[in-house]
Amino acid sequence: MSTFPPYFLFSLRLEAKSVPAGRAKLTPEFLSEKYELPALGNFAPHQSPSPRRGARTDAARPAGTADFHVRFGWRADGLFLTVILRGKNRPVTVTPQQLETSDSFSLMLDTRDVRVIHRATKFCHRLLFTPADPENSAPGAAPGAVWLPIHRAKAHPNPVDVTRFETAYAARKDGWSLSVFIPGDTLTGYDPAEHTRIGLSYVLFDNEFGWLAQQLPDYFPVTEDPSLWAAVDLVG
């Protein structure tokens, strides 16, 4: 039996809807369901820790799966992201020295959608968001955002000023929600007037559910190979 998931055999092409112009207060669930990105599978992790003995699970959802939503929108001045995770029984864990194995959400973007190559170009970005600031783990602390270099990249983008990102975060007993506005001028090559298609992929790493990805399990190098990312049309 093949170890390749069937959806590896075709390219994923999605649509991102535009966000209305104008100043609006960013909230933890800023983007509505109409901005939801489809994902393959039910987010049953490829290799996940077993739930703790006696842990309560949601009766409407199979044990070992997450209620996980990713919403994505665009505007001429930047990109919007909303991430919602529910169904957790364990607290969030963020370790400053081990961000990639902490509870985190990685967003991979290619502002020119050059997906015919396996090594990232200067238009490729990897942004990692943590549901708690690594330097301040107190309850209610603001989330963290960092830019990470992509392994084996042919070139890196211009420095990404993550301090200009706007974030809104809410913690709940069974999870968290996070919304981010990424100014377009912090991303090398972002120009939706000229380039109406971008490359996109994401991975959520969770201490309870393991690796939750948009399309492919964790034995695919989705954090570094742009040819594995989805094409996203920026539609009005």
Side-chain angles (χ1 to χ4, degrees):
M1 186 169 126
S2 172
T3 59
F4 289 97
Y7 37 82
F8 176 72
L9 302 176
F10 60 86
S11 296
L12 196 60
R13 187 165 175 178
L14 311 173
E15 287 187 350
K17 294 179 173 61
S18 62
V19 176
R23 189 70 180 174
K25 178 178 173 56
L26 198 69
T27 60
E29 297 186 17
F30 181 76
L31 295 179
S32 66
E33 292 180 359
K34 79 174 185 176
Y35 294 94
E36 188 119 0
L37 292 177
L40 302 173
N42 63 354
F43 292 117
H46 172 58
Q47 290 179 331
S48 68
S50 299
R52 291 176 309 183
R53 181 174 298 177
R56 183 182 60 82
T57 58
D58 189 338
R61 184 174 55 254
T65 62
D67 184 10
F68 177 41
H69 304 269
V70 178
R71 300 168 183 172
F72 188 78
W74 72 280
R75 216 165 54 183
D77 60 343
L79 300 172
F80 290 84
L81 170 72
T82 292
V83 182
I84 301 169
L85 178 64
R86 299 190 183 99
K88 283 180 63 61
N89 291 293
R90 300 179 187 176
V92 165
T93 302
V94 177
T95 305
Q97 296 78 20
Q98 299 175 321
L99 288 181
E100 293 188 71
T101 55
S102 296
D103 285 8
S104 60
F105 181 86
S106 286
L107 177 69
M108 281 69 69
L109 294 169
D110 179 356
T111 57
R112 298 295 169 86
D113 188 37
V114 187
R115 289 179 303 116
V116 295
I117 56 176
H118 295 283
R119 293 176 63 186
T121 69
K122 67 178 181 179
F123 302 113
C124 297
H125 307 69
R126 183 184 176 194
L127 305 171
L128 184 141
F129 303 97
T130 52
D133 187 336
E135 305 303 326
N136 182 7
S137 58
V146 297
W147 169 82
L148 293 176
I150 296 177
H151 181 56
R152 298 178 62 248
K154 295 168 115 182
H156 294 300
N158 298 329
V160 179
D161 186 1
V162 298
T163 64
R164 293 184 53 211
F165 292 8
E166 297 178 33
T167 59
Y169 172 72
R172 295 178 174 80
K173 285 184 177 180
D174 67 339
W176 51 269
S177 56
L178 167 70
S179 287
V180 183
F181 171 66
I182 304 170
D185 59 5
T186 65
L187 301 173
T188 301
Y190 182 71
D191 185 0
E194 293 293 329
H195 300 275
T196 59
R197 186 183 305 159
I198 64 174
L200 180 147
S201 189
Y202 60 78
V203 172
L204 182 137
F205 188 84
D206 180 78
N207 65 53
E208 185 171 352
F209 300 115
W211 170 285
L212 307 179
Q214 179 186 35
Q215 182 181 7
L216 297 169
D218 57 4
Y219 49 83
F220 286 89
V222 295
T223 59
E224 63 184 66
D225 186 345
S227 71
L228 300 176
W229 303 352
V232 178
D233 293 306
L234 307 179
V235 300

